[in-house]
Amino acid sequence: MKRFIVFKSRWMVLVGMVFLLPVLGGCQDEELPEGEIRLSEIQDNPDYASLPFVGTQWKLIGFVDGRRERLRLAEPDGESTYFLKFNGNGEISGRTSTNSAYGRYLLGSDGLLEILTFTNTTELNELFGGGYYIASLNDVFSFALSPKGLTLYYDSEKSMLFQPQ
């Protein structure tokens, strides 16, 4: 009788493991599309939160999907692509994927940011996300400084993440 109970117990454990394996397999991290990373992979730097919004040159890291907590990296990535500088006189200077860009902004005392206009100097050879970058900047309504960098919100769940250059 004891031998039968041991056999039955082992059999139940084996069957339980067979049913548990698919559940455990579902808990693995899903593979992200090329060019996307998890927002948690961006390292925090506490100094970023205390940098001045105006006067700092900001480099675009990528476009954030807040609902999925993912960041689509900016392409092309280079030293002279996708950067902004908010000047004290209400002007923005910067660069898109291939062109110089400029614009104007209003910064409210309540932390709201309105980009009045942002455009490139020429539309010649705008690559990859250059057009989307310009369109997104023109929809910006708010910003936040955090240990990840400067976040510009252009939709309730979408933003752009910049770090100092």
Side-chain angles (χ1 to χ4, degrees):
M1 182 77 166
K2 188 174 187 178
R3 186 175 236 172
F4 178 71
I5 292 172
V6 171
F7 175 74
K8 189 174 181 181
S9 297
R10 286 184 185 169
W11 181 81
M12 290 178 73
V13 169
L14 182 62
V15 169
M17 289 177 68
V18 168
F19 284 110
L20 190 59
L21 282 175
V23 173
L24 292 176
C27 293
Q28 293 178 3
D29 285 343
E30 66 179 283
E31 192 170 319
L32 298 178
E34 187 175 334
E36 276 191 18
I37 62 172
R38 287 175 179 72
L39 193 54
S40 61
E41 293 179 51
I42 302 291
Q43 287 191 324
D44 288 351
N45 183 333
D47 294 337
Y48 291 172
S50 62
L51 288 172
F53 172 78
V54 174
T56 301
Q57 185 159 295
W58 300 99
K59 171 114 173 93
L60 178 68
I61 303 303
F63 299 90
V64 177
D65 180 339
R67 184 178 53 78
R68 297 179 348 185
E69 293 289 316
R70 293 184 183 173
L71 181 132
R72 182 171 41 91
L73 297 168
E75 288 185 284
D77 183 29
E79 285 184 32
S80 62
T81 60
Y82 299 118
F83 66 83
L84 290 176
K85 185 174 183 183
F86 293 88
N87 301 308
N89 60 0
E91 294 180 355
I92 309 167
S93 57
R95 194 130 174 99
T96 65
S97 61
T98 56
N99 296 296
S100 295
Y102 63 96
R104 298 199 51 75
Y105 73 96
L106 286 175
L107 184 60
S109 59
D110 53 1
L112 293 180
L113 170 68
E114 181 181 0
I115 295 187
L116 303 171
T117 180
F118 186 78
T119 187
N120 49 5
T121 54
T122 177
E123 293 183 23
L124 186 63
N125 295 328
E126 201 61 66
L127 298 174
F128 300 99
Y132 186 70
Y133 173 69
I134 292 168
S136 299
L137 278 169
N138 280 296
D139 288 338
V140 166
F141 60 87
S142 182
F143 79 99
L145 286 167
S146 73
K148 293 218 182 289
L150 169 67
T151 302
L152 297 180
Y153 296 93
Y154 61 94
D155 184 89
S156 62
E157 294 189 11
K158 295 187 179 196
S159 61
M160 291 176 279
L161 179 63
F162 293 80
Q163 290 184 338
Q165 189 173 30

